[in-house]
Amino acid sequence: MPRPRGPILRLARDYAWPHRWTYLAGAAALALTNWLTVAIPVRIGAAVDAIRDGLSPAAPIAAIALMGAGVIVARTLSRVLIFNPGRDVEFQLRQDIFARLMAQQPPFYARRSTGDIVSRASNDVTYVRALIGFAFLQVMNVSLALGLTGWRMVSLSWTLTLGAAVPVLLGLLVVRRSIARILDLHRTAQEQLGVLSDHVLGSLQGIATIQGFAAEPAFRERFAARNLALFRTRMRMSLLGSFAFPALVLAGGAAMFVLLRFGGAMVARGELSVGDLAAFAALLGVLLPPLRSLGWMLGVVQRGRASLQRIFELLDEPVDRPEGDAPEPMPAAGRGPGPGFAIRDLTVAYPDEPDRPVLRGVTVDIPPGAVVGIFGRTGSGKSTLVRVLARLLNPPPGTVFVVEADGARHDLVRVDLDRWRERLAVAPQRPFLFGETIARNIALADAPPPERLARAVRDAALEPDIAALPDGLETVVGERGIMLSGGQRQRVALARALFRDAEVIVLDDVLSAVDHDTEARLVRTLRHPPD
């Protein structure tokens, strides 16, 4: 099925369509609400005429009471049926965005700021929920109100209807032109919010460095500048809204003036009855609230549309998977000696500096099951080679091969990335720890097997440190492991790699922050792992 061209059409097809029957039921309830709302003024006119003619108004009044109760029930039902799918769509969008982010490779995150991604996955999704819930209901409500109320008003007097419509149309024109400018400002505000969020996240993550160098004033100044830019943009949006949206209120007042000025004369001439004029005034009163909310509704639609564009940009970002949909088959993860590598004339550069290779013409054979150390001065490309083997950085095709114990060879960029990483465990030079317990950081799971966890802790020489912590393995390490020392963070990362029982373990200088005795013990464990 071809993809719809507009973001709103795509949202309707991919996310709202599964809820079509709920929306249809909500639309039916909304139609009933508007029909009853429009019918009530007609009964009011009938009651007025009955009183004027000396008749009993009991029947019209009873009908008004029943219709009023029906409006309450139908209106509540319409909101439940239309708003609830918006929550479901919000849930599914968040699921899809997070799944897409999990599939993206490191070069994607090098191109985008964290704050911008967080803004798209949080604020923009909230705007979309308002679009598919409230705005959808209001569009239907205003359309039905205009159609039904307009038909009733024309049936009473088409000339009076035309006169009342002129100021309303002028008000709508003012709002439409203002909304276009507000949309541009909204896009700018969302981008500025992403920049501000990125600054806050970076400052919180580096708070120890900021405080250690007494750099708080500089970071506060940067925050103030970004915050001020966002404040000014949102103030311009508010000023435009405060000017444009009251135009519809003014238009409603002008329409009521037209009704009283010309409708009263028509009653005096006998062209309308008093009841007809009362019904017309009541119909205009029914029509004005939806029109007053129309300006805000158009703003919600425009903000939702801009947010949808930003969300779909994120969802449509291609995933860097050169193996494509038909990867080269390779064995599943298993225990025992891991595969080796055959590297042939490997030259690698990072995507942001493609003309500056970090590795040039590297050729080496690593037999299956071998223990190999890589030495070199700072900046020589050791960590880059580790990233290539883990496919955190894709090498050129035909340069890095996985060599199985039976001699089978697989081009690293042609095999399934998920299957390859199941066979691999990496402990990076700068380990990242989540703000969870030590146990969860090691296992990356909620309920790891205790024996396996204890073995990984023992092999990583973490037992003395765990014993000294107040809650042992259940100690929460704080953001990025701030509660642990550098050596402890490295050994937690090492325990994470050992916990996996992977065929290939890649360690990137994970012993740089430990003392000599611990280093010697870890080297012996890694060279001769216990059974």
Coordinates of all heavy atoms in Angstrom, one line a residue, residues 50-90:
A50 N -46.3 29.7 22.1 CA -47.4 29.1 22.8 C -47.8 30.1 23.9 O -49.0 30.3 24.2 CB -47.1 27.8 23.4
I51 N -46.9 30.6 24.7 CA -47.2 31.6 25.7 C -47.8 32.8 25.2 O -48.8 33.4 25.7 CB -45.9 31.9 26.5 CG1 -45.4 30.7 27.3 CG2 -46.1 33.1 27.5 CD1 -44.0 30.9 27.9
R52 N -47.2 33.3 24.0 CA -47.8 34.5 23.4 C -49.2 34.3 22.9 O -50.1 35.2 23.0 CB -46.9 34.9 22.2 CG -47.3 36.2 21.5 CD -46.7 36.4 20.2 NE -47.2 35.3 19.3 CZ -46.7 35.2 18.0 NH1 -45.9 36.0 17.5 NH2 -47.2 34.2 17.3
D53 N -49.5 33.1 22.5 CA -50.9 32.8 22.0 C -51.8 32.4 23.1 O -53.0 32.0 22.8 CB -50.8 31.7 20.9 CG -50.1 32.2 19.7 OD1 -49.9 33.4 19.5 OD2 -49.5 31.3 18.9
G54 N -51.3 32.3 24.3 CA -52.2 31.9 25.5 C -52.4 30.4 25.6 O -53.3 30.0 26.3
L55 N -51.5 29.7 25.0 CA -51.6 28.2 25.1 C -50.6 27.7 26.2 O -49.7 28.4 26.6 CB -51.2 27.6 23.7 CG -52.1 28.0 22.6 CD1 -51.6 27.4 21.3 CD2 -53.6 27.6 22.8
S56 N -50.8 26.4 26.5 CA -49.9 25.8 27.5 C -48.5 25.4 26.9 O -48.5 24.8 25.9 CB -50.5 24.6 28.1 OG -49.6 23.9 28.9
P57 N -47.4 25.9 27.5 CA -46.1 25.5 27.0 C -45.6 24.2 27.6 O -44.4 23.9 27.5 CB -45.2 26.7 27.4 CG -45.8 27.1 28.8 CD -47.3 26.8 28.7
A58 N -46.4 23.4 28.2 CA -46.0 22.2 28.9 C -45.3 21.2 28.0 O -44.2 20.7 28.3 CB -47.1 21.6 29.7
A59 N -45.9 21.0 26.8 CA -45.3 20.0 25.9 C -43.9 20.4 25.4 O -43.0 19.6 25.5 CB -46.3 19.8 24.8
P60 N -43.7 21.7 24.9 CA -42.4 22.0 24.5 C -41.4 22.0 25.6 O -40.2 21.6 25.5 CB -42.6 23.5 24.0 CG -44.0 23.6 23.6 CD -44.7 22.7 24.6
I61 N -41.8 22.4 26.9 CA -40.9 22.4 28.0 C -40.5 21.0 28.4 O -39.3 20.7 28.6 CB -41.5 23.2 29.2 CG1 -41.7 24.7 28.9 CG2 -40.7 22.9 30.5 CD1 -42.4 25.4 29.9
A62 N -41.4 20.1 28.3 CA -41.1 18.7 28.6 C -40.1 18.1 27.6 O -39.1 17.4 27.9 CB -42.3 17.8 28.7
A63 N -40.3 18.5 26.3 CA -39.4 18.0 25.3 C -38.0 18.6 25.4 O -37.0 17.9 25.3 CB -40.0 18.4 23.9
I64 N -38.0 19.9 25.9 CA -36.7 20.5 26.1 C -35.9 19.8 27.2 O -34.7 19.6 27.2 CB -36.9 22.0 26.5 CG1 -37.4 22.8 25.3 CG2 -35.6 22.6 27.0 CD1 -37.8 24.2 25.6
A65 N -36.6 19.4 28.3 CA -36.0 18.7 29.4 C -35.5 17.4 29.0 O -34.3 17.0 29.3 CB -37.0 18.6 30.6
L66 N -36.3 16.6 28.2 CA -35.8 15.3 27.8 C -34.6 15.5 26.8 O -33.6 14.7 26.9 CB -36.9 14.6 27.1 CG -38.1 14.1 28.0 CD1 -39.2 13.5 27.1 CD2 -37.6 13.1 29.0
M67 N -34.7 16.4 25.9 CA -33.6 16.7 25.0 C -32.3 17.1 25.8 O -31.2 16.7 25.4 CB -33.9 17.7 24.0 CG -34.9 17.3 23.0 SD -35.4 18.6 21.8 CE -36.5 17.7 20.7
G68 N -32.5 17.9 26.8 CA -31.3 18.3 27.6 C -30.6 17.1 28.2 O -29.4 17.0 28.3
A69 N -31.4 16.2 28.8 CA -30.8 15.0 29.4 C -30.1 14.1 28.3 O -29.1 13.6 28.6 CB -31.9 14.2 30.1
G70 N -30.8 14.1 27.1 CA -30.1 13.3 26.1 C -28.8 13.9 25.6 O -27.9 13.2 25.3
V71 N -28.7 15.2 25.6 CA -27.5 15.9 25.3 C -26.4 15.5 26.3 O -25.2 15.3 25.8 CB -27.7 17.4 25.2 CG1 -26.3 18.2 25.2 CG2 -28.5 17.8 24.0
I72 N -26.7 15.5 27.5 CA -25.7 15.2 28.6 C -25.1 13.8 28.3 O -23.9 13.5 28.3 CB -26.3 15.3 30.0 CG1 -26.6 16.8 30.3 CG2 -25.3 14.7 31.0 CD1 -27.4 17.0 31.6
V73 N -26.0 12.8 28.1 CA -25.6 11.4 27.9 C -24.8 11.3 26.6 O -23.7 10.7 26.6 CB -26.8 10.5 27.9 CG1 -26.4 9.1 27.6 CG2 -27.5 10.5 29.3
A74 N -25.3 11.8 25.5 CA -24.7 11.7 24.2 C -23.3 12.4 24.2 O -22.4 11.9 23.6 CB -25.6 12.2 23.1
R75 N -23.3 13.6 24.8 CA -22.0 14.3 24.7 C -20.9 13.6 25.5 O -19.8 13.5 25.1 CB -22.2 15.7 25.3 CG -21.0 16.6 25.1 CD -21.3 18.0 25.8 NE -22.4 18.7 25.2 CZ -22.4 19.4 24.1 NH1 -21.2 19.5 23.4 NH2 -23.4 20.0 23.7
T76 N -21.3 13.0 26.7 CA -20.3 12.3 27.5 C -19.8 11.0 26.7 O -18.6 10.7 26.7 CB -20.9 11.9 28.8 OG1 -21.4 13.0 29.5 CG2 -20.0 11.1 29.7
L77 N -20.8 10.3 26.1 CA -20.4 9.1 25.4 C -19.5 9.5 24.2 O -18.5 8.7 23.9 CB -21.7 8.4 24.9 CG -21.5 7.1 24.2 CD1 -20.9 6.1 25.2 CD2 -22.9 6.6 23.7
S78 N -19.8 10.6 23.5 CA -19.0 11.0 22.4 C -17.5 11.2 22.8 O -16.6 10.9 22.1 CB -19.6 12.2 21.6 OG -19.5 13.3 22.5
R79 N -17.4 11.9 23.9 CA -16.0 12.2 24.4 C -15.2 10.9 24.8 O -14.0 10.8 24.5 CB -16.1 13.2 25.5 CG -16.2 14.6 25.0 CD -16.8 15.6 26.0 NE -16.8 16.9 25.5 CZ -17.5 17.4 24.4 NH1 -18.3 16.6 23.7 NH2 -17.3 18.7 24.0
V80 N -15.9 10.0 25.5 CA -15.3 8.8 25.9 C -14.8 8.0 24.6 O -13.7 7.5 24.6 CB -16.2 7.9 26.7 CG1 -15.6 6.6 27.0 CG2 -16.4 8.6 28.1
L81 N -15.7 7.9 23.6 CA -15.4 7.1 22.5 C -14.3 7.7 21.6 O -13.6 7.0 20.9 CB -16.7 6.9 21.7 CG -17.8 6.0 22.3 CD1 -19.1 6.0 21.5 CD2 -17.3 4.6 22.4
I82 N -14.2 9.1 21.6 CA -13.2 9.7 20.7 C -11.9 10.0 21.4 O -10.9 9.9 20.8 CB -13.8 11.0 20.1 CG1 -15.0 10.7 19.2 CG2 -12.8 11.8 19.4 CD1 -15.7 11.9 18.6
F83 N -12.0 10.3 22.7 CA -10.7 10.6 23.4 C -9.9 9.4 23.7 O -8.7 9.4 23.7 CB -11.0 11.3 24.7 CG -11.4 12.8 24.6 CD1 -11.9 13.5 25.6 CD2 -11.3 13.4 23.3 CE1 -12.3 14.9 25.5 CE2 -11.7 14.7 23.2 CZ -12.2 15.5 24.2
N84 N -10.6 8.3 24.1 CA -9.8 7.1 24.5 C -8.9 6.5 23.4 O -7.8 6.1 23.7 CB -10.8 6.0 25.0 CG -11.3 6.3 26.4 OD1 -10.9 7.2 27.0 ND2 -12.2 5.5 26.9
P85 N -9.4 6.4 22.1 CA -8.4 6.0 21.1 C -7.2 6.9 21.0 O -6.1 6.4 20.6 CB -9.2 6.0 19.8 CG -10.6 5.9 20.3 CD -10.7 6.6 21.6
G86 N -7.3 8.2 21.3 CA -6.1 9.0 21.3 C -5.0 8.5 22.3 O -3.9 8.6 22.0
R87 N -5.5 8.0 23.4 CA -4.5 7.4 24.4 C -3.8 6.2 23.8 O -2.6 5.9 24.0 CB -5.2 7.1 25.7 CG -5.7 8.3 26.5 CD -4.5 9.0 27.1 NE -5.0 10.1 28.0 CZ -4.2 11.0 28.5 NH1 -2.9 10.9 28.4 NH2 -4.6 11.9 29.3
D88 N -4.6 5.4 23.1 CA -4.1 4.2 22.5 C -3.1 4.5 21.4 O -2.0 3.9 21.3 CB -5.2 3.3 21.9 CG -6.1 2.7 22.9 OD1 -5.7 2.5 24.1 OD2 -7.3 2.5 22.6
V89 N -3.4 5.6 20.6 CA -2.5 6.0 19.6 C -1.2 6.6 20.2 O -0.1 6.3 19.7 CB -3.2 7.1 18.7 CG1 -2.1 7.7 17.7 CG2 -4.3 6.4 17.9
E90 N -1.3 7.3 21.3 CA -0.2 7.9 22.0 C 0.7 6.7 22.5 O 2.0 6.8 22.3 CB -0.6 8.7 23.2 CG 0.5 9.2 24.0 CD 0.0 9.9 25.3 OE1 -1.1 9.6 25.8 OE2 0.7 10.8 25.8

